Amino acid sequence: PCSCPSFPLQEAHASSRSGCARDYSHFPVEQSHRRIKQTTIMASDQIRQMVNFILQEAHEKANEIRVKTEHDFNLEKQTLVHEAKLAVQDEYTKKEKDREVQERIARSAEIGQCRQKKMALRDDLLTSLMKEASSKCKVVADGSNYPALLQKLIVQGLIKIEELEVVVFCRKEDVNTVKKVIPAAVKEYVDIMEKESGIKLTPKVTVNPDRKRDLPESSNGGVKLTACAGKIVCDNTMSSRLSLVYEELMPSIREILFPEA
């Protein structure tokens, strides 16, 4: 007998030769096909599982990337929106401050203008008051007591100057009156000085001989005394005395006229 292994096909041929009526040659082929099919199915399942796994991994990775992208986008968007809000707030704050500054400047300018108008009106009122007082001085110069007033003004001027040679200036219309009152004014001055100091003075008081140098009408009367060639001057005119009184009484006048200030 042969030592080679027996195969199903050879066994089938031997059976046929031995006179067996059945044929089993198709069974091993079907099993092989069945194994191949099963192997193919298993390989397909494994491939499908791998594909599904890869797709799942890809979907998860894509979802992770999408979530991270959305998160980064939202974060960036919030940052940009926040920065834009801050920029708008800063701009609004700056504009608000600029508006407040402009309002303050306008208010200050308006207050300054009101104060200027107020001061101008006060000055106009005080000027009109001064003019009214000046007109009343002219009335005094036209009164019957004016000669006595001129005498007192000359005496006061002599006391202020304290000089022995004095020249008296006056208005053109007052020249004659001044000449008449000078002797009485000199006598009164001498008596006062003698009484105060015990010395009897002999002053020489004359009227200005140059009519071109007479006092203007704006002086409203009164006299101006000079000595030492005009180096010493005592202005005792009505307008000068009015100005002195006006300056001295200015606080009281303002308090009376403008108590709210």
Side-chain angles (χ1 to χ4, degrees):
C2 182
S3 59
C4 295
S6 62
F7 293 95
L9 184 59
Q10 292 176 350
E11 291 176 359
H13 286 295
S15 298
S16 63
R17 283 194 302 266
S18 63
C20 183
R22 294 183 180 181
D23 187 5
Y24 295 98
S25 62
H26 64 280
F27 288 141
V29 175
E30 288 180 358
Q31 290 179 358
S32 177
H33 282 284
R34 191 177 297 113
R35 289 195 189 102
I36 293 172
K37 186 176 181 180
Q38 290 177 353
T39 303
T40 304
I41 292 172
M42 291 177 62
S44 298
D45 291 341
Q46 290 180 356
I47 293 172
R48 185 169 56 255
Q49 289 177 1
M50 291 177 64
V51 170
N52 291 335
F53 177 76
I54 293 172
L55 290 176
Q56 181 68 25
E57 288 289 329
H59 286 308
E60 291 179 358
K61 191 64 177 178
N63 188 50
E64 181 181 351
I65 294 173
R66 180 182 59 79
V67 171
K68 186 176 184 304
T69 303
E70 289 181 356
H71 177 268
D72 294 341
F73 171 76
N74 291 329
L75 183 62
E76 184 68 19
K77 182 177 71 173
Q78 291 177 359
T79 302
L80 294 176
V81 171
H82 181 66
E83 291 177 353
K85 286 182 179 180
L86 291 179
V88 171
Q89 290 177 356
D90 292 341
E91 184 178 1
Y92 175 78
T93 303
K94 182 179 179 181
K95 288 183 178 180
E96 185 68 17
K97 289 182 178 179
D98 292 341
R99 184 185 64 81
E100 291 178 358
V101 170
Q102 294 298 327
E103 287 182 354
R104 290 178 182 176
I105 293 174
R107 191 182 306 112
S108 179
E110 185 176 357
I111 292 174
Q113 291 177 358
C114 292
R115 287 179 178 175
Q116 290 180 354
K117 291 180 180 179
K118 187 176 181 180
M119 294 301 296
L121 291 174
R122 288 182 177 180
D123 290 340
D124 292 341
L125 180 60
L126 293 174
T127 301
S128 64
L129 181 64
M130 189 70 174
K131 289 181 179 180
E132 184 178 355
S134 179
S135 64
K136 290 184 178 180
C137 288
K138 291 181 180 180
V139 174
V140 173
D142 295 333
S144 58
N145 294 327
Y146 185 57
L149 177 61
L150 287 175
Q151 179 179 335
K152 296 296 183 182
L153 293 175
I154 293 172
V155 172
Q156 188 181 49
L158 292 173
I159 294 174
K160 290 288 185 181
I161 288 181
E162 295 183 352
E163 293 291 334
L164 295 179
E165 292 186 6
V166 178
V167 178
V168 179
F169 291 82
C170 62
R171 296 184 305 175
K172 184 177 181 179
E173 59 267 30
D174 294 337
V175 171
N176 293 330
T177 305
V178 171
K179 287 181 179 180
K180 289 180 181 179
V181 301
I182 281 179
V186 171
K187 183 179 183 304
E188 184 177 353
Y189 167 68
V190 170
D191 292 341
I192 292 173
M193 297 303 293
E194 185 178 5
K195 181 179 178 181
E196 295 294 331
S197 63
I199 300 174
K200 188 172 183 179
L201 301 175
T202 56
K204 181 182 178 181
V205 182
T206 59
V207 178
N208 167 45
D210 189 0
R211 297 281 70 83
K212 293 181 180 180
R213 300 178 61 189
D214 288 339
L215 298 179
E217 290 297 327
S218 60
S219 63
N220 297 324
V223 293
K224 180 186 290 185
L225 284 71
T226 64
C228 299
K231 295 180 180 179
I232 302 177
V233 179
C234 177
D235 192 350
N236 232 4
T237 58
M238 298 295 289
S239 60
S240 175
R241 294 184 67 86
L242 178 62
S243 297
L244 290 174
V245 173
Y246 178 78
E247 294 295 333
E248 290 178 0
L249 297 180
M250 178 58 70
S252 299
I253 293 173
R254 288 184 177 275
E255 186 177 355
I256 294 172
L257 294 178
F258 317 114
E260 73 283 357

mmCIF file of all heavy atoms in Angstrom, residues 97-138:
data_model
loop_
_atom_site.group_PDB
_atom_site.id
_atom_site.type_symbol
_atom_site.label_atom_id
_atom_site.label_comp_id
_atom_site.label_asym_id
_atom_site.label_seq_id
_atom_site.Cartn_x
_atom_site.Cartn_y
_atom_site.Cartn_z
ATOM 1 N N LYS A 97 -17.793 115.031 29.475
ATOM 2 C CA LYS A 97 -16.905 115.982 30.144
ATOM 3 C C LYS A 97 -16.693 117.225 29.296
ATOM 4 O O LYS A 97 -16.704 118.359 29.803
ATOM 5 C CB LYS A 97 -15.564 115.314 30.448
ATOM 6 C CG LYS A 97 -15.634 114.275 31.548
ATOM 7 C CD LYS A 97 -14.253 113.685 31.833
ATOM 8 C CE LYS A 97 -14.312 112.672 32.968
ATOM 9 N NZ LYS A 97 -12.969 112.078 33.241
ATOM 10 N N ASP A 98 -16.504 117.021 27.980
ATOM 11 C CA ASP A 98 -16.342 118.169 27.087
ATOM 12 C C ASP A 98 -17.587 119.043 27.098
ATOM 13 O O ASP A 98 -17.491 120.285 27.096
ATOM 14 C CB ASP A 98 -16.052 117.686 25.660
ATOM 15 C CG ASP A 98 -14.690 117.020 25.542
ATOM 16 O OD1 ASP A 98 -13.850 117.254 26.425
ATOM 17 O OD2 ASP A 98 -14.481 116.260 24.578
ATOM 18 N N ARG A 99 -18.743 118.394 27.119
ATOM 19 C CA ARG A 99 -19.992 119.166 27.150
ATOM 20 C C ARG A 99 -20.110 119.949 28.455
ATOM 21 O O ARG A 99 -20.510 121.129 28.451
ATOM 22 C CB ARG A 99 -21.191 118.222 27.000
ATOM 23 C CG ARG A 99 -22.541 118.927 26.922
ATOM 24 C CD ARG A 99 -23.667 117.915 26.887
ATOM 25 N NE ARG A 99 -23.720 117.152 28.110
ATOM 26 C CZ ARG A 99 -24.288 117.573 29.244
ATOM 27 N NH1 ARG A 99 -24.841 118.782 29.310
ATOM 28 N NH2 ARG A 99 -24.295 116.801 30.308
ATOM 29 N N GLU A 100 -19.740 119.300 29.581
ATOM 30 C CA GLU A 100 -19.786 119.996 30.862
ATOM 31 C C GLU A 100 -18.814 121.172 30.888
ATOM 32 O O GLU A 100 -19.146 122.248 31.399
ATOM 33 C CB GLU A 100 -19.460 119.023 31.992
ATOM 34 C CG GLU A 100 -20.534 117.972 32.231
ATOM 35 C CD GLU A 100 -20.153 116.994 33.327
ATOM 36 O OE1 GLU A 100 -19.021 117.129 33.859
ATOM 37 O OE2 GLU A 100 -20.967 116.127 33.673
ATOM 38 N N VAL A 101 -17.622 120.948 30.312
ATOM 39 C CA VAL A 101 -16.639 122.042 30.264
ATOM 40 C C VAL A 101 -17.163 123.195 29.424
ATOM 41 O O VAL A 101 -17.056 124.378 29.812
ATOM 42 C CB VAL A 101 -15.296 121.517 29.705
ATOM 43 C CG1 VAL A 101 -14.349 122.678 29.425
ATOM 44 C CG2 VAL A 101 -14.645 120.560 30.693
ATOM 45 N N GLN A 102 -17.749 122.864 28.259
ATOM 46 C CA GLN A 102 -18.299 123.907 27.401
ATOM 47 C C GLN A 102 -19.442 124.642 28.093
ATOM 48 O O GLN A 102 -19.568 125.871 27.981
ATOM 49 C CB GLN A 102 -18.790 123.296 26.077
ATOM 50 C CG GLN A 102 -17.674 122.728 25.207
ATOM 51 C CD GLN A 102 -16.673 123.778 24.778
ATOM 52 O OE1 GLN A 102 -17.035 124.939 24.564
ATOM 53 N NE2 GLN A 102 -15.421 123.381 24.653
ATOM 54 N N GLU A 103 -20.285 123.889 28.820
ATOM 55 C CA GLU A 103 -21.379 124.528 29.551
ATOM 56 C C GLU A 103 -20.843 125.452 30.640
ATOM 57 O O GLU A 103 -21.357 126.555 30.851
ATOM 58 C CB GLU A 103 -22.287 123.462 30.168
ATOM 59 C CG GLU A 103 -23.151 122.741 29.154
ATOM 60 C CD GLU A 103 -24.071 121.729 29.821
ATOM 61 O OE1 GLU A 103 -23.935 121.529 31.063
ATOM 62 O OE2 GLU A 103 -24.921 121.148 29.123
ATOM 63 N N ARG A 104 -19.783 124.995 31.343
ATOM 64 C CA ARG A 104 -19.188 125.838 32.372
ATOM 65 C C ARG A 104 -18.583 127.099 31.775
ATOM 66 O O ARG A 104 -18.731 128.200 32.326
ATOM 67 C CB ARG A 104 -18.115 125.055 33.128
ATOM 68 C CG ARG A 104 -18.673 123.952 34.009
ATOM 69 C CD ARG A 104 -17.552 123.179 34.683
ATOM 70 N NE ARG A 104 -18.054 122.074 35.499
ATOM 71 C CZ ARG A 104 -17.290 121.201 36.124
ATOM 72 N NH1 ARG A 104 -15.961 121.306 36.027
ATOM 73 N NH2 ARG A 104 -17.823 120.228 36.829
ATOM 74 N N ILE A 105 -17.904 126.921 30.627
ATOM 75 C CA ILE A 105 -17.309 128.086 29.966
ATOM 76 C C ILE A 105 -18.395 129.054 29.530
ATOM 77 O O ILE A 105 -18.280 130.280 29.737
ATOM 78 C CB ILE A 105 -16.459 127.628 28.763
ATOM 79 C CG1 ILE A 105 -15.228 126.846 29.248
ATOM 80 C CG2 ILE A 105 -16.023 128.819 27.929
ATOM 81 C CD1 ILE A 105 -14.418 126.229 28.124
ATOM 82 N N ALA A 106 -19.458 128.510 28.920
ATOM 83 C CA ALA A 106 -20.555 129.371 28.476
ATOM 84 C C ALA A 106 -21.232 130.056 29.658
ATOM 85 O O ALA A 106 -21.556 131.251 29.604
ATOM 86 C CB ALA A 106 -21.575 128.548 27.677
ATOM 87 N N ARG A 107 -21.433 129.265 30.754
ATOM 88 C CA ARG A 107 -22.050 129.846 31.943
ATOM 89 C C ARG A 107 -21.165 130.931 32.552
ATOM 90 O O ARG A 107 -21.647 131.995 32.953
ATOM 91 C CB ARG A 107 -22.319 128.745 32.971
ATOM 92 C CG ARG A 107 -23.208 129.205 34.127
ATOM 93 C CD ARG A 107 -23.413 128.098 35.146
ATOM 94 N NE ARG A 107 -23.910 126.888 34.557
ATOM 95 C CZ ARG A 107 -23.237 125.761 34.465
ATOM 96 N NH1 ARG A 107 -21.985 125.698 34.935
ATOM 97 N NH2 ARG A 107 -23.762 124.697 33.914
ATOM 98 N N SER A 108 -19.865 130.639 32.605
ATOM 99 C CA SER A 108 -18.940 131.635 33.150
ATOM 100 C C SER A 108 -18.913 132.894 32.293
ATOM 101 O O SER A 108 -18.904 134.017 32.815
ATOM 102 C CB SER A 108 -17.531 131.026 33.238
ATOM 103 O OG SER A 108 -16.613 131.971 33.729
ATOM 104 N N ALA A 109 -18.906 132.693 30.952
ATOM 105 C CA ALA A 109 -18.922 133.853 30.059
ATOM 106 C C ALA A 109 -20.211 134.654 30.221
ATOM 107 O O ALA A 109 -20.194 135.897 30.244
ATOM 108 C CB ALA A 109 -18.757 133.395 28.604
ATOM 109 N N GLU A 110 -21.318 133.924 30.365
ATOM 110 C CA GLU A 110 -22.598 134.614 30.540
ATOM 111 C C GLU A 110 -22.633 135.385 31.863
ATOM 112 O O GLU A 110 -23.106 136.524 31.920
ATOM 113 C CB GLU A 110 -23.736 133.594 30.496
ATOM 114 C CG GLU A 110 -25.125 134.214 30.537
ATOM 115 C CD GLU A 110 -26.218 133.177 30.407
ATOM 116 O OE1 GLU A 110 -25.895 131.995 30.231
ATOM 117 O OE2 GLU A 110 -27.409 133.561 30.483
ATOM 118 N N ILE A 111 -22.107 134.737 32.928
ATOM 119 C CA ILE A 111 -22.046 135.424 34.223
ATOM 120 C C ILE A 111 -21.151 136.648 34.137
ATOM 121 O O ILE A 111 -21.472 137.719 34.674
ATOM 122 C CB ILE A 111 -21.544 134.457 35.311
ATOM 123 C CG1 ILE A 111 -22.595 133.371 35.563
ATOM 124 C CG2 ILE A 111 -21.249 135.196 36.609
ATOM 125 C CD1 ILE A 111 -22.125 132.281 36.514
ATOM 126 N N GLY A 112 -20.005 136.494 33.423
ATOM 127 C CA GLY A 112 -19.104 137.627 33.255
ATOM 128 C C GLY A 112 -19.770 138.771 32.509
ATOM 129 O O GLY A 112 -19.613 139.942 32.889
ATOM 130 N N GLN A 113 -20.514 138.426 31.452
ATOM 131 C CA GLN A 113 -21.217 139.471 30.706
ATOM 132 C C GLN A 113 -22.279 140.153 31.568
ATOM 133 O O GLN A 113 -22.427 141.375 31.524
ATOM 134 C CB GLN A 113 -21.858 138.861 29.460
ATOM 135 C CG GLN A 113 -20.856 138.409 28.410
ATOM 136 C CD GLN A 113 -21.528 137.746 27.226
ATOM 137 O OE1 GLN A 113 -22.770 137.588 27.202
ATOM 138 N NE2 GLN A 113 -20.744 137.361 26.228
ATOM 139 N N CYS A 114 -22.999 139.332 32.354
ATOM 140 C CA CYS A 114 -24.010 139.918 33.248
ATOM 141 C C CYS A 114 -23.358 140.846 34.274
ATOM 142 O O CYS A 114 -23.882 141.927 34.569
ATOM 143 C CB CYS A 114 -24.792 138.810 33.949
ATOM 144 S SG CYS A 114 -25.858 137.840 32.869
ATOM 145 N N ARG A 115 -22.218 140.420 34.805
ATOM 146 C CA ARG A 115 -21.520 141.263 35.772
ATOM 147 C C ARG A 115 -21.038 142.557 35.134
ATOM 148 O O ARG A 115 -21.122 143.633 35.732
ATOM 149 C CB ARG A 115 -20.343 140.500 36.365
ATOM 150 C CG ARG A 115 -20.752 139.404 37.348
ATOM 151 C CD ARG A 115 -19.543 138.668 37.880
ATOM 152 N NE ARG A 115 -19.928 137.654 38.859
ATOM 153 C CZ ARG A 115 -19.083 136.792 39.415
ATOM 154 N NH1 ARG A 115 -17.794 136.814 39.066
ATOM 155 N NH2 ARG A 115 -19.514 135.900 40.295
ATOM 156 N N GLN A 116 -20.523 142.436 33.893
ATOM 157 C CA GLN A 116 -20.076 143.635 33.193
ATOM 158 C C GLN A 116 -21.235 144.594 32.955
ATOM 159 O O GLN A 116 -21.098 145.807 33.157
ATOM 160 C CB GLN A 116 -19.422 143.250 31.864
ATOM 161 C CG GLN A 116 -18.070 142.558 32.019
ATOM 162 C CD GLN A 116 -17.456 142.188 30.685
ATOM 163 O OE1 GLN A 116 -18.085 142.345 29.627
ATOM 164 N NE2 GLN A 116 -16.237 141.676 30.712
ATOM 165 N N LYS A 117 -22.367 144.029 32.521
ATOM 166 C CA LYS A 117 -23.546 144.883 32.318
ATOM 167 C C LYS A 117 -24.003 145.509 33.631
ATOM 168 O O LYS A 117 -24.367 146.687 33.687
ATOM 169 C CB LYS A 117 -24.684 144.057 31.709
ATOM 170 C CG LYS A 117 -24.426 143.620 30.274
ATOM 171 C CD LYS A 117 -25.600 142.810 29.736
ATOM 172 C CE LYS A 117 -25.352 142.359 28.312
ATOM 173 N NZ LYS A 117 -26.486 141.548 27.786
ATOM 174 N N LYS A 118 -23.949 144.690 34.691
ATOM 175 C CA LYS A 118 -24.360 145.186 35.997
ATOM 176 C C LYS A 118 -23.444 146.307 36.463
ATOM 177 O O LYS A 118 -23.916 147.359 36.945
ATOM 178 C CB LYS A 118 -24.335 144.027 37.003
ATOM 179 C CG LYS A 118 -24.913 144.362 38.366
ATOM 180 C CD LYS A 118 -24.909 143.113 39.232
ATOM 181 C CE LYS A 118 -25.516 143.404 40.602
ATOM 182 N NZ LYS A 118 -25.522 142.190 41.458
ATOM 183 N N MET A 119 -22.117 146.113 36.310
ATOM 184 C CA MET A 119 -21.169 147.140 36.706
ATOM 185 C C MET A 119 -21.325 148.388 35.846
ATOM 186 O O MET A 119 -21.215 149.523 36.341
ATOM 187 C CB MET A 119 -19.738 146.603 36.591
ATOM 188 C CG MET A 119 -19.420 145.477 37.564
ATOM 189 S SD MET A 119 -19.634 145.946 39.287
ATOM 190 C CE MET A 119 -18.386 147.204 39.447
ATOM 191 N N ALA A 120 -21.588 148.174 34.524
ATOM 192 C CA ALA A 120 -21.787 149.325 33.644
ATOM 193 C C ALA A 120 -23.017 150.126 34.065
ATOM 194 O O ALA A 120 -22.986 151.371 34.103
ATOM 195 C CB ALA A 120 -21.923 148.859 32.197
ATOM 196 N N LEU A 121 -24.096 149.407 34.415
ATOM 197 C CA LEU A 121 -25.305 150.108 34.869
ATOM 198 C C LEU A 121 -25.057 150.844 36.180
ATOM 199 O O LEU A 121 -25.525 151.977 36.381
ATOM 200 C CB LEU A 121 -26.447 149.101 35.037
ATOM 201 C CG LEU A 121 -26.993 148.472 33.744
ATOM 202 C CD1 LEU A 121 -28.017 147.389 34.063
ATOM 203 C CD2 LEU A 121 -27.616 149.551 32.863
ATOM 204 N N ARG A 122 -24.298 150.220 37.080
ATOM 205 C CA ARG A 122 -23.977 150.890 38.347
ATOM 206 C C ARG A 122 -23.127 152.131 38.108
ATOM 207 O O ARG A 122 -23.368 153.190 38.709
ATOM 208 C CB ARG A 122 -23.242 149.912 39.271
ATOM 209 C CG ARG A 122 -24.126 148.817 39.833
ATOM 210 C CD ARG A 122 -23.337 147.933 40.779
ATOM 211 N NE ARG A 122 -24.180 146.910 41.379
ATOM 212 C CZ ARG A 122 -23.760 146.005 42.249
ATOM 213 N NH1 ARG A 122 -22.484 146.006 42.617
ATOM 214 N NH2 ARG A 122 -24.583 145.106 42.761
ATOM 215 N N ASP A 123 -22.133 151.985 37.215
ATOM 216 C CA ASP A 123 -21.295 153.142 36.912
ATOM 217 C C ASP A 123 -22.107 154.267 36.284
ATOM 218 O O ASP A 123 -21.888 155.447 36.590
ATOM 219 C CB ASP A 123 -20.156 152.725 35.970
ATOM 220 C CG ASP A 123 -19.136 151.830 36.661
ATOM 221 O OD1 ASP A 123 -19.099 151.840 37.905
ATOM 222 O OD2 ASP A 123 -18.396 151.122 35.956
ATOM 223 N N ASP A 124 -23.034 153.881 35.392
ATOM 224 C CA ASP A 124 -23.895 154.902 34.782
ATOM 225 C C ASP A 124 -24.744 155.597 35.841
ATOM 226 O O ASP A 124 -24.920 156.829 35.807
ATOM 227 C CB ASP A 124 -24.801 154.264 33.726
ATOM 228 C CG ASP A 124 -24.013 153.763 32.517
ATOM 229 O OD1 ASP A 124 -22.866 154.225 32.344
ATOM 230 O OD2 ASP A 124 -24.547 152.915 31.775
ATOM 231 N N LEU A 125 -25.246 154.806 36.791
ATOM 232 C CA LEU A 125 -26.061 155.392 37.858
ATOM 233 C C LEU A 125 -25.229 156.326 38.733
ATOM 234 O O LEU A 125 -25.663 157.439 39.074
ATOM 235 C CB LEU A 125 -26.682 154.278 38.699
ATOM 236 C CG LEU A 125 -27.565 154.728 39.872
ATOM 237 C CD1 LEU A 125 -28.736 155.569 39.369
ATOM 238 C CD2 LEU A 125 -28.073 153.520 40.645
ATOM 239 N N LEU A 126 -24.020 155.891 39.081
ATOM 240 C CA LEU A 126 -23.148 156.734 39.908
ATOM 241 C C LEU A 126 -22.713 157.981 39.148
ATOM 242 O O LEU A 126 -22.609 159.072 39.744
ATOM 243 C CB LEU A 126 -21.922 155.939 40.355
ATOM 244 C CG LEU A 126 -22.197 154.781 41.322
ATOM 245 C CD1 LEU A 126 -20.928 153.976 41.583
ATOM 246 C CD2 LEU A 126 -22.763 155.307 42.648
ATOM 247 N N THR A 127 -22.480 157.833 37.841
ATOM 248 C CA THR A 127 -22.112 159.002 37.032
ATOM 249 C C THR A 127 -23.257 160.000 36.966
ATOM 250 O O THR A 127 -23.043 161.220 37.078
ATOM 251 C CB THR A 127 -21.726 158.546 35.608
ATOM 252 O OG1 THR A 127 -20.632 157.630 35.687
ATOM 253 C CG2 THR A 127 -21.316 159.731 34.759
ATOM 254 N N SER A 128 -24.466 159.469 36.782
ATOM 255 C CA SER A 128 -25.635 160.379 36.770
ATOM 256 C C SER A 128 -25.825 161.039 38.129
ATOM 257 O O SER A 128 -26.190 162.224 38.213
ATOM 258 C CB SER A 128 -26.890 159.594 36.373
ATOM 259 O OG SER A 128 -27.188 158.594 37.347
ATOM 260 N N LEU A 129 -25.520 160.279 39.194
ATOM 261 C CA LEU A 129 -25.608 160.852 40.542
ATOM 262 C C LEU A 129 -24.585 161.967 40.721
ATOM 263 O O LEU A 129 -24.885 163.031 41.296
ATOM 264 C CB LEU A 129 -25.385 159.755 41.574
ATOM 265 C CG LEU A 129 -25.466 160.178 43.056
ATOM 266 C CD1 LEU A 129 -26.873 160.670 43.390
ATOM 267 C CD2 LEU A 129 -25.085 159.004 43.957
ATOM 268 N N MET A 130 -23.383 161.752 40.191
ATOM 269 C CA MET A 130 -22.331 162.760 40.263
ATOM 270 C C MET A 130 -22.717 164.008 39.463
ATOM 271 O O MET A 130 -22.487 165.151 39.897
ATOM 272 C CB MET A 130 -21.023 162.164 39.735
ATOM 273 C CG MET A 130 -19.802 163.027 39.955
ATOM 274 S SD MET A 130 -19.358 163.090 41.694
ATOM 275 C CE MET A 130 -17.814 164.014 41.561
ATOM 276 N N LYS A 131 -23.286 163.785 38.289
ATOM 277 C CA LYS A 131 -23.721 164.925 37.469
ATOM 278 C C LYS A 131 -24.824 165.712 38.168
ATOM 279 O O LYS A 131 -24.841 166.954 38.132
ATOM 280 C CB LYS A 131 -24.221 164.431 36.116
ATOM 281 C CG LYS A 131 -23.112 163.913 35.206
ATOM 282 C CD LYS A 131 -23.677 163.455 33.877
ATOM 283 C CE LYS A 131 -22.573 162.947 32.956
ATOM 284 N NZ LYS A 131 -23.112 162.484 31.649
ATOM 285 N N GLU A 132 -25.737 164.998 38.807
ATOM 286 C CA GLU A 132 -26.815 165.682 39.530
ATOM 287 C C GLU A 132 -26.257 166.496 40.690
ATOM 288 O O GLU A 132 -26.681 167.640 40.933
ATOM 289 C CB GLU A 132 -27.813 164.650 40.034
ATOM 290 C CG GLU A 132 -29.032 165.256 40.720
ATOM 291 C CD GLU A 132 -30.026 164.212 41.173
ATOM 292 O OE1 GLU A 132 -29.808 163.024 40.865
ATOM 293 O OE2 GLU A 132 -31.016 164.581 41.843
ATOM 294 N N ALA A 133 -25.285 165.915 41.414
ATOM 295 C CA ALA A 133 -24.661 166.654 42.516
ATOM 296 C C ALA A 133 -23.889 167.856 41.997
ATOM 297 O O ALA A 133 -23.893 168.936 42.616
ATOM 298 C CB ALA A 133 -23.726 165.728 43.292
ATOM 299 N N SER A 134 -23.253 167.706 40.835
ATOM 300 C CA SER A 134 -22.516 168.824 40.233
ATOM 301 C C SER A 134 -23.460 169.947 39.841
ATOM 302 O O SER A 134 -23.149 171.140 40.021
ATOM 303 C CB SER A 134 -21.738 168.329 39.013
ATOM 304 O OG SER A 134 -21.045 169.391 38.415
ATOM 305 N N SER A 135 -24.620 169.577 39.303
ATOM 306 C CA SER A 135 -25.600 170.615 38.944
ATOM 307 C C SER A 135 -26.097 171.349 40.182
ATOM 308 O O SER A 135 -26.354 172.563 40.142
ATOM 309 C CB SER A 135 -26.765 169.987 38.183
ATOM 310 O OG SER A 135 -27.468 169.072 39.014
ATOM 311 N N LYS A 136 -26.208 170.639 41.307
ATOM 312 C CA LYS A 136 -26.624 171.291 42.546
ATOM 313 C C LYS A 136 -25.525 172.225 43.071
ATOM 314 O O LYS A 136 -25.816 173.236 43.722
ATOM 315 C CB LYS A 136 -26.976 170.242 43.593
ATOM 316 C CG LYS A 136 -28.266 169.493 43.259
ATOM 317 C CD LYS A 136 -28.651 168.530 44.366
ATOM 318 C CE LYS A 136 -29.959 167.830 44.027
ATOM 319 N NZ LYS A 136 -30.382 166.871 45.082
ATOM 320 N N CYS A 137 -24.241 171.867 42.790
ATOM 321 C CA CYS A 137 -23.148 172.772 43.173
ATOM 322 C C CYS A 137 -23.253 174.102 42.421
ATOM 323 O O CYS A 137 -22.928 175.160 42.970
ATOM 324 C CB CYS A 137 -21.809 172.110 42.894
ATOM 325 S SG CYS A 137 -21.406 170.772 44.040
ATOM 326 N N LYS A 138 -23.668 174.003 41.168
ATOM 327 C CA LYS A 138 -23.857 175.238 40.397
ATOM 328 C C LYS A 138 -24.962 176.098 41.017
ATOM 329 O O LYS A 138 -24.875 177.333 41.030
ATOM 330 C CB LYS A 138 -24.224 174.895 38.953
ATOM 331 C CG LYS A 138 -23.089 174.262 38.174
ATOM 332 C CD LYS A 138 -23.517 173.968 36.749
ATOM 333 C CE LYS A 138 -22.379 173.331 35.953
ATOM 334 N NZ LYS A 138 -22.764 173.029 34.560
#
